């Protein structure tokens, strides 16, 4: 798909991560990217940092656009969409909890819509995104959306009915690991370790565990068994976690996130 003009409506955290990834990854040159925002300081920053065009007027920005990424908060959509209705472009929405069919209705029949659930590690080019083609989206549109989010991590295609599960797994997922890391750090400090040292060890451990799952191709339960010797330290810790029901608590937590996502999208 030839993209001469790619527009981001909203130049916040997620738009910046994508702009950076697209330029660095050679997916789209800065000269083909326009961003909009209501905040003039933000526009100056984006223009000066990435060399993209940056304007306040959404309607003007989307004129002759091939791709428009809706990167404002979901609650701003009702205000933004009528102003850009009638678009003849691929429209990619990254808003949590908004159905592609609802967005398509507000934009009119010429828009081809794709819904994406990214996550915050996209900010460090290590994101995980679920991508769902919506009304009017073509194979070429889907291929472009996958390429775009692969510029900031991994991207997988999922049926839109599973976007609430994606939200509960990778969308909200970073926070589950942050929470676990908070507790690990608190205990390391309580045991007398310097916080900065503990922080480095915990973060690297999480990165390492993730990479082992990806690179070994083994299931997490197999990897866990391999590092747990009978009567050892890991076994002592895991016995406490099991006794506390961590596994079933995590499953309940994911169900709560999934159900809340369904509630927010009214699906
Ligand atoms: N960040 C994440 O980890 C994450 C993960 C998954 C999905 N998402 C989704 O990604 C979208 C963007 O999130 P974000 O974290 O990048 O938000 P953000 O940093 O708040 O960025 C949104 C930007 O849009 C601007 N804006 C507000 N009204 C506007 C308008 N009418 N026209 C143009 N720009 C406008 C905001 O300005 P002000 O700040 O001045 O209002 C802000 O700079 C959201 O829909 C969110 O649900 C984010």
């Amino acid at each position: 798909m030839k993209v001469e003009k790619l527009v981001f409506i909203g130049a916040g955290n997620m738009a910046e991560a994508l702009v950076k990834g697209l330029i660095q990854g050679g997916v789209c040159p800065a000269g083909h990217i326009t961003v909009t925002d209501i905040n003039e300081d933000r526009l100056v920053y984006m223009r000066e940092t990435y060399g993209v065009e940056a304007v306040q007027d959404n309607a003007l920005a989307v004129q002759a656009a091939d791709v428009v990424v809706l990167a404002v908060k979901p609650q701003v959509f009702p205000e933004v969409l009528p102003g850009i209705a009638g678009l003849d472009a691929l429209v990619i929405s990254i808003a949590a909890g908004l159905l592609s069919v609802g967005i398509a209705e507000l934009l009119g029949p010429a828009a081809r819509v794709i819904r994406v659930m990214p996550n915050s590690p996209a900010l460090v080019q290590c994101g995980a995104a679920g991508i769902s083609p919506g009304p009017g989206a073509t194979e070429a549109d889907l291929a472009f959306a996958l390429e775009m989010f692969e510029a900031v991590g991994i991207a997988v295609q999922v049926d839109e009915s599973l976007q609430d599960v994606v939200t509960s797994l990778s969308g909200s997922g970073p926070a589950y690991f942050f929470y676990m890391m908070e507790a690990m750090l608190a205990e390391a400090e309580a045991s007398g370790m310097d916080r900065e040292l503990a922080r480095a060890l915990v973060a690297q451990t999480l990165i390492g565990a993730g990479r082992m799952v990806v690179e070994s191709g083994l299931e997490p339960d197999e990897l866990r068994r391999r590092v747990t010797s009978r009567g050892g330290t890991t076994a002592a810790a895991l016995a406490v976690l099991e006794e506390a029901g961590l596994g079933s608590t995590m499953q309940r937590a994911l169900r709560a996130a999934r159900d809340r996502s369904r509630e927010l999208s009214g699906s």
Side-chain angles (χ1 to χ4, degrees):
M1 181 174 168
K2 201 156 181 259
V3 177
E4 301 279 348
K5 187 172 182 188
L6 171 58
V7 181
F8 286 86
I9 303 290
N13 293 316
M14 201 43 83
E16 181 176 1
L18 287 164
V19 165
K20 192 172 161 186
L22 288 169
I23 297 171
Q24 285 179 357
V27 179
C28 193
H32 290 191
I33 301 175
T34 300
V35 301
T36 77
D37 206 282
I38 48 171
N39 182 339
E40 187 54 39
D41 291 345
R42 190 71 189 156
L43 294 176
V44 171
Y45 167 80
M46 292 298 286
R47 204 179 290 130
E48 289 181 352
T49 311
Y50 299 103
V52 297
E53 188 171 347
V55 297
Q56 276 211 3
D57 189 331
N58 292 337
L60 191 69
V62 300
Q63 278 176 16
D66 302 302
V67 180
V68 175
V69 183
L70 302 173
V72 287
K73 294 284 188 205
Q75 58 270 27
V76 183
F77 271 58
E79 172 195 324
V80 164
L81 292 189
I84 57 168
L87 269 180
D88 182 4
L90 164 61
V91 178
I92 298 177
S93 166
I94 60 170
L98 295 185
L99 299 179
S100 65
V101 66
I103 293 169
E105 263 168 31
L106 287 167
L107 288 177
R112 291 131 36 219
V113 182
I114 287 187
R115 178 176 166 198
V116 179
M117 184 62 204
N119 69 359
S120 56
L123 305 178
V124 291
Q125 269 74 53
C126 207
I131 300 198
S132 305
T138 64
E139 282 299 317
D141 293 336
L142 173 64
F144 180 76
L146 286 165
E147 187 183 12
M148 184 169 167
F149 285 86
E150 276 162 5
V152 291
I154 67 153
V156 296
Q157 183 187 348
V158 291
D159 190 87
E160 193 169 351
S161 62
L162 285 174
Q163 280 289 12
D164 301 306
V165 179
V166 174
T167 302
S168 72
L169 196 61
S170 50
S172 302
Y176 314 154
F177 292 114
F178 296 145
Y179 187 57
M180 195 176 293
M181 288 163 86
E182 282 170 52
M184 290 167 80
L185 283 177
E187 190 51 32
E189 269 189 296
S191 300
M193 183 174 263
D194 172 78
R195 186 176 175 86
E196 284 311 302
L197 280 184
R199 198 170 172 273
L201 290 173
V202 166
Q204 181 63 15
T205 301
L206 184 62
I207 294 168
R211 280 188 59 181
M212 282 182 78
V213 172
V214 172
E215 289 176 21
S216 70
L218 295 170
E219 291 299 320
D221 65 323
E222 172 61 21
L223 288 166
R224 173 172 54 80
R225 269 193 293 277
R226 289 186 184 194
V227 296
T228 312
S229 30
R230 195 188 298 267
T233 57
T234 309
L238 289 173
V240 174
L241 295 178
E242 237 166 65
E243 193 197 327
L246 183 71
S248 58
T249 303
M250 283 305 297
Q251 286 183 249
R252 243 177 354 106
L254 264 79
R255 278 200 296 277
R258 181 203 63 193
D259 293 348
R260 179 67 183 137
S261 175
R262 281 184 184 156
E263 213 171 85
L264 289 171
S265 64
S267 60

